[in-house]
Amino acid sequence: MDAFERHFANWVIAQRWWILLATLLIVIATGTGIGQLSFNNDNRVYFSKQNPQLLALEALENTFSENENVLIAVAPKDGNVFTRSTLQAVQEITERAWFTPYSSRVGSLSNFQHSYSESDDLIVEDLYQNPQDLSDAEIERIKQIALSEPLLVKNLISVDGSVTAININVLKPKKSKTAIAEIASFTRQLKTEIEAKYPDITLHLAGGIMFGNAFQEVSQEDGATLLPLMYGILLITMALLLRSVWGTFATLIIIAISSSTALGLTGWLGISLSASSVNAPTVILTLAVADCIHILTSFAVAMRKGLTKQAAIVESVRINFQPLILTSLTTAIGFLSMNFSDAPPFRDLGNIVAMGVMAAMIFALLTLPSLMAVLPMKVKKSNDRGSNSIDSVANFVIKRRKVLLPVSLIVVLISMVGMSRIELDDNFIEYFDQRYEIRQSADFIRDNLAGMDTIEYALDSGESSGINSPAYLAKIEEFANWYRQQPYVTHVTVLTDIIKRLNKNLHNDDPAFYKIPENRELAAQYLLMYEMSLPYGLDLNDQINVDKSSTRMIVLVNGASSKQIRETDAHARAWLAQYAPKTMQTHGASISMMFSNISKTNIDQMLSGTLIALMMISLLLIAALKSLRLGLLSLVPNLFPALMTFGIWGFFVGEVGLTVAIVGTLTLGIVVDDTVHFLSKYQRARTELGKNAEEAVRYAFHTVGRALVITTVVLVLGFSTLILSGFKLNADMGILTAMAISIALILDVFCLPPLLMLLDRSDKKHQNSTKNSSTQTPQTSGATL
């Protein structure tokens, strides 16, 4: 193998110009795929087509209608909706909202279908029209109706009448990539024009469509800020640590073409980017830097030993050939295991990064040495303080190994205790931090109206026209009343509120008849009369299915965590199981329910992915290192970083969302890199140089220690830039990964060497080594570029 590596390195030098030309052609061919990239801003993108909660929601929407919407909250500055000016603004917004692209229904105070009786006739009409012509008494009457109507209060009007809302339902084309942006653009323009015309009111835009649009805008902002920031950080870091202009330049080329190749392939493969996968370039360039640093630092060491430039390049490629392939494969395996995730954006992130990692490996082994051969790279003189520091750490670890090993294991165990304090909590509203208008609007609506979370039920009667049955109506009324008593529930939209109002209307508006009719035919007649009186676009198709066998009940929840939403639905299903007929047994369905379950679903699925990745990585290391003992030993510093990270997070934060499902596998592939480089140098010292365990540890520290520190710094800085993202999933992933990588280096320095010296005592040649061997340093010296 050693001969092959040397031959390969010499071949690269000989063919450097052809390799550089081939690299250019490959980058052009793949890079043109970047023009094929698209972005998926649908908030349902985080759910696979087989996701049970998504299937439940689609079944409900197929029965009734889709519930995607834009919600416009109207907040008059005087705190009173019931003024001529504000009522006029609400009416104008309502009328103009019908022109929203793909709108199917608009609901507000102005077009709320108020019903009442007049000479035994049922009158159904808009709650108000022409507000400028209304008298004070008429406005007061409208106020009393609105604030006493169950369908409005805590739904489209606040309890105190200080805030109201207009709800726009849309039916966007399934395959349209621009519909969400079109709708968001229209409503924002409407907001601007209305606020200019009515300076005494403020509009807040929210709803599923606006959140979907926010996914794309946050991603574009991250791409425009975090990626350039990362390039700047890497440039400064490499310049300071490598101290080589040409080395830094060559590295920047490698990371640029690695990211370009991965994104180009993504475009050609038709993979759509999302708010999570859009950060793949940042991850790729961070990992690509690590490959370059190992080759460049080995090159410097070889030059310092007196080798010529060409010979130093050959030696650098030779000793890093196997570790670089191993670390790239293990990293790719870790990211590819993200395909077990139920969230497609994380699958895409894993696949894109895996392509980038393999591209970076190829470019690092072929293009980087070729660049080094043609660039005027030189090794600067150095006082070698960095190498001396690494040697001092090595001596400390060797001398204190009997203390460091148990202390390390105790710290690991203590930190892992914190995992028991972690709670899963996913709220897609809080995926965006307070800097974004969408989060500010959502918080305002949650504080003043009913909140943004819903749980919806399709309650089947079991027979055609069964919704007219008094027994059925009584049962869904009972279910709705039970729900109204539950914590965090602010509003329940149910058919019986309309039925009871109609019964009262057709009994001369006698309050005593505000109840469910006792006669089935009477209930059917009421509904028929009401439906025939409704204007176009305001029918009951969103609440009643075609054969009138089922109705939709919508529960609005405010301030509940994901766990509480899951528990609320579980209690509701238990209630249905105990008190309702079998035909009504159903699960809650909504976007909120989907996000409430996504963490648990992903953790269950990613557990399999992590175990498979762990097995594959272990087998790969055992085969490559040709040692079962070293392969199994590598599991210790590779498994513990993620576990310790979650433990520390549990102590200091406690809550974690969807990110927890993928961080374990993501970090597993990355943290293996340091272990592989350390073990490969350790094994080289044992087998090629004939050193005993202590000397081999010292050799590994001396030859690869500085590179490990540099790559860890670069990786931590790279993932730390994600902390600046306003998108919580990316920020959490950044900080958790940075923590895991930092912990991995600490374990590789203070835990792995003592383990090696404890378990690897089979060497006979050096068992009688001299006492001063503990202070010797290898006959190679470090260098800086």
Side-chain angles (χ1 to χ4, degrees):
M1 185 67 178
D2 184 67
F4 170 79
E5 294 166 349
R6 190 179 299 278
H7 176 75
F8 172 82
N10 281 306
W11 177 84
V12 170
I13 301 298
Q15 305 296 324
R16 56 188 178 276
W17 291 111
W18 288 109
I19 290 173
L20 292 176
L21 177 60
T23 299
L24 179 62
L25 294 176
I26 290 172
V27 172
I28 292 174
T30 57
T32 52
I34 293 176
Q36 306 296 320
L37 288 173
S38 61
F39 192 92
N40 191 336
N41 54 5
D42 193 329
N43 54 18
R44 303 187 188 196
V45 70
Y46 282 92
F47 305 91
S48 68
K49 293 181 180 179
Q50 295 76 37
N51 181 275
Q53 285 76 39
L54 176 60
L55 293 174
L57 178 59
E58 289 178 340
L60 184 143
E61 291 177 338
N62 289 334
T63 302
F64 302 101
S65 64
E66 290 189 22
N67 202 20
E68 294 200 78
N69 72 316
V70 175
L71 191 68
I72 305 176
V74 180
K77 295 178 181 178
D78 62 3
N80 182 18
V81 167
F82 299 98
T83 64
R84 291 177 182 83
S85 176
T86 300
L87 292 176
Q88 178 65 39
V90 170
Q91 185 178 38
E92 182 172 346
I93 296 170
T94 302
E95 292 171 352
R96 295 181 62 179
W98 283 104
F99 294 96
T100 303
Y102 315 108
S103 63
S104 61
R105 176 187 294 266
V106 178
S108 72
L109 277 183
S110 68
N111 72 351
F112 173 73
Q113 296 304 289
H114 174 57
S115 62
Y116 60 95
S117 64
E118 189 174 278
S119 301
D120 294 330
D121 290 330
L122 177 66
I123 308 298
V124 181
E125 62 183 13
D126 292 349
L127 181 58
Y128 71 85
Q129 294 179 345
N130 304 318
Q132 296 298 336
D133 299 331
L134 295 175
S135 66
D136 291 344
E138 289 172 323
I139 291 177
E140 183 61 28
R141 171 180 166 275
I142 292 169
K143 179 179 180 180
Q144 293 302 319
I145 292 172
L147 295 182
S148 61
E149 174 54 58
L151 290 174
L152 291 177
V153 178
K154 294 185 179 180
N155 185 14
L156 293 181
I157 186 73
S158 60
V159 175
D160 60 358
S162 63
V163 178
T164 188
I166 296 93
N167 187 65
I168 309 169
N169 284 102
V170 297
L171 292 174
K172 59 182 178 64
K174 293 290 186 183
K175 296 184 179 180
S176 174
K177 297 179 180 179
T178 61
I180 289 178
E182 291 176 51
I183 297 167
S185 177
F186 178 89
T187 51
R188 281 176 171 169
Q189 181 62 32
L190 177 60
K191 175 182 184 293
T192 300
E193 295 174 3
I194 292 295
E195 288 183 333
K197 185 174 181 179
Y198 299 92
D200 292 330
I201 67 171
T202 302
L203 301 186
H204 300 270
L205 305 180
I209 294 295
M210 300 308 296
F211 274 102
N213 189 67
F215 280 119
Q216 180 169 356
E217 292 182 339
V218 169
S219 301
Q220 291 172 339
E221 180 180 315
D222 282 356
T225 57
L226 297 186
L227 194 58
L229 175 63
M230 185 58 218
Y231 269 105
I233 290 174
L234 290 180
L235 180 63
I236 295 172
T237 304
M238 288 186 296
L240 291 175
L241 297 178
L242 296 179
R243 304 175 201 171
S244 170
V245 173
W246 291 114
T248 301
F249 173 73
T251 302
L252 288 176
I253 290 179
I254 298 302
I255 63 179
I257 62 178
S258 298
S259 296
S260 174
T261 299
L263 286 179
L265 291 173
T266 300
W268 287 124
L269 292 172
I271 300 174
S272 296
L273 296 178
S274 63
S276 294
S277 60
V278 77
N279 286 303
T282 304
V283 179
I284 292 170
L285 69 90
T286 303
L287 296 172
V289 167
D291 292 345
C292 298
I293 287 174
H294 281 288
I295 289 180
L296 289 170
T297 52
S298 297
F299 168 77
V301 170
M303 286 284 285
R304 181 63 60 193
K305 291 169 63 177
L307 273 65
T308 64
K309 178 181 176 181
Q310 180 172 326
I313 295 174
V314 171
E315 178 66 9
S316 175
V317 173
R318 183 186 74 84
I319 65 175
N320 285 290
F321 185 86
Q322 185 192 50
L324 210 61
I325 291 177
L326 273 178
T327 56
S328 298
L329 288 175
T330 54
T331 301
I333 289 171
F335 278 95
L336 288 173
S337 67
M338 291 168 66
N339 280 283
F340 284 85
S341 171
D342 187 56
F346 289 130
R347 298 183 200 167
D348 296 338
L349 174 64
N351 293 331
I352 296 170
V353 174
M355 289 189 292
V357 166
M358 297 311 294
M361 178 195 74
I362 294 171
F363 292 140
L365 289 174
L366 292 171
T367 309
L368 180 59
S370 299
L371 282 172
M372 293 165 65
V374 301
L375 293 174
M377 297 184 65
K378 298 179 180 179
V379 175
K380 295 181 179 180
K381 298 294 182 180
S382 171
N383 59 14
D384 208 20
R385 287 178 298 177
S387 182
N388 291 335
S389 298
I390 293 297
D391 292 337
S392 298
V393 172
N395 290 329
F396 172 81
V397 171
I398 293 171
K399 184 177 180 180
R400 304 293 183 184
R401 61 185 182 274
K402 292 183 179 180
V403 176
L404 287 175
L405 183 58
V407 169
S408 298
L409 295 177
I410 291 173
V411 171
V412 168
L413 294 175
I414 292 176
S415 61
M416 287 170 57
V417 172
M419 293 177 63
S420 62
R421 300 169 60 89
I422 288 181
E423 291 188 6
L424 300 180
D425 189 13
D426 265 303
N427 187 322
F428 76 94
I429 294 172
E430 295 179 357
Y431 282 177
F432 305 90
D433 70 19
Q434 295 289 346
R435 81 184 75 169
Y436 297 110
E437 182 181 358
I438 184 66
R439 175 63 185 277
Q440 297 166 14
S441 296
D443 286 346
F444 177 86
I445 291 170
R446 290 197 297 184
D447 292 341
N448 292 277
L449 288 168
M452 303 295 297
D453 291 314
T454 65
I455 309 176
E456 302 182 25
Y457 297 88
L459 301 172
D460 197 344
S461 66
E463 60 175 323
S464 180
S465 299
I467 64 170
N468 298 313
S469 165
Y472 169 80
L473 292 171
K475 187 55 65 177
I476 63 173
E477 171 78 354
E478 187 180 351
F479 185 42
N481 287 335
W482 173 85
Y483 239 124
R484 289 176 176 124
Q485 303 301 314
Q486 302 310 303
Y488 309 106
V489 173
T490 54
H491 187 269
V492 178
T493 299
V494 64
L495 179 66
T496 52
D497 287 338
I498 296 176
I499 295 289
K500 290 188 294 183
R501 173 155 54 88
L502 294 174
N503 192 39
K504 183 187 75 169
N505 294 154
L506 293 169
H507 285 85
N508 297 317
D509 286 324
D510 183 351
F513 285 88
Y514 186 74
K515 59 183 181 180
I516 296 171
E518 298 178 359
N519 184 285
R520 180 175 182 145
E521 288 69 26
L522 202 57
Q525 183 180 357
Y526 290 168
L527 266 183
L528 178 62
M529 292 173 62
Y530 182 68
E531 288 184 285
M532 292 178 63
S533 302
L534 295 174
Y536 175 78
L538 293 177
D539 52 44
L540 295 179
N541 290 343
D542 64 330
Q543 293 187 58
I544 301 173
N545 67 345
V546 175
D547 69 348
K548 292 181 169 52
S549 63
S550 180
T551 64
R552 179 189 217 164
M553 189 176 90
I554 302 175
V555 180
L556 290 178
V557 180
N558 197 1
S561 67
S562 295
K563 179 181 178 181
Q564 291 163 338
I565 291 176
R566 292 194 302 269
E567 290 176 347
T568 299
D569 176 57
H571 294 156
R573 287 186 281 115
W575 188 95
L576 289 172
Q578 183 174 0
Y579 299 107
K582 290 185 178 180
T583 57
M584 291 177 63
Q585 309 302 315
T586 185
H587 288 72
S590 66
I591 292 292
S592 301
M593 284 299 303
M594 290 160 61
F595 275 101
S596 295
N597 284 276
I598 191 170
S599 294
K600 185 178 184 302
T601 301
N602 269 274
I603 288 174
D604 292 342
Q605 295 178 344
M606 288 303 295
L607 182 60
S608 299
T610 302
L611 291 175
I612 291 175
L614 183 63
M615 290 175 58
M616 293 180 65
I617 290 173
S618 299
L619 291 174
L620 184 62
L621 293 180
I622 291 171
L625 297 174
K626 299 178 182 179
S627 170
L628 176 63
R629 179 169 48 189
L630 290 181
L632 295 177
L633 191 63
S634 69
L635 297 179
V636 175
N638 295 338
L639 272 179
F640 286 168
L643 299 178
M644 292 179 65
T645 297
F646 289 130
I648 295 171
W649 188 270
F651 279 123
F652 292 98
V653 180
E655 292 183 354
V656 71
L658 178 58
T659 312
V660 70
I662 57 100
V663 166
T665 53
L666 184 152
T667 57
L668 177 62
I670 296 175
V671 301
V672 170
D673 293 7
D674 287 353
T675 307
V676 167
H677 280 286
F678 192 94
L679 287 177
S680 66
K681 299 301 185 291
Y682 174 85
Q683 189 183 47
R684 184 179 294 274
R686 295 283 280 149
T687 57
E688 292 185 14
L689 304 179
K691 296 181 179 293
N692 64 18
E694 290 184 9
E695 292 171 340
V697 165
R698 188 176 291 106
Y699 175 86
F701 268 108
H702 188 82
T703 54
V704 81
R706 186 167 181 272
L708 295 184
V709 173
I710 294 175
T711 55
T712 298
V713 170
V714 170
L715 288 170
V716 170
L717 288 176
F719 281 98
S720 294
T721 59
L722 295 178
I723 299 172
L724 301 177
S725 173
F727 191 57
K728 188 175 185 293
L729 294 185
N730 293 340
D732 285 355
M733 183 178 70
I735 191 170
L736 286 168
T737 305
M739 288 172 59
I741 293 171
S742 301
I743 293 171
L745 177 65
I746 295 172
L747 292 178
D748 280 326
V749 170
F750 297 109
C751 184
L752 179 60
L755 269 175
L756 288 170
M757 289 181 284
L758 176 66
L759 300 177
D760 195 7
R761 296 176 176 176
S762 60
D763 183 90
K764 297 180 180 180
K765 182 177 180 180
H766 295 278
Q767 60 184 349
N768 297 317
S769 57
T770 60
K771 295 181 179 180
N772 62 355
S773 65
S774 63
T775 58
Q776 282 184 326
T777 59
Q779 298 305 308
T780 58
S781 59
T784 57
L785 286 173

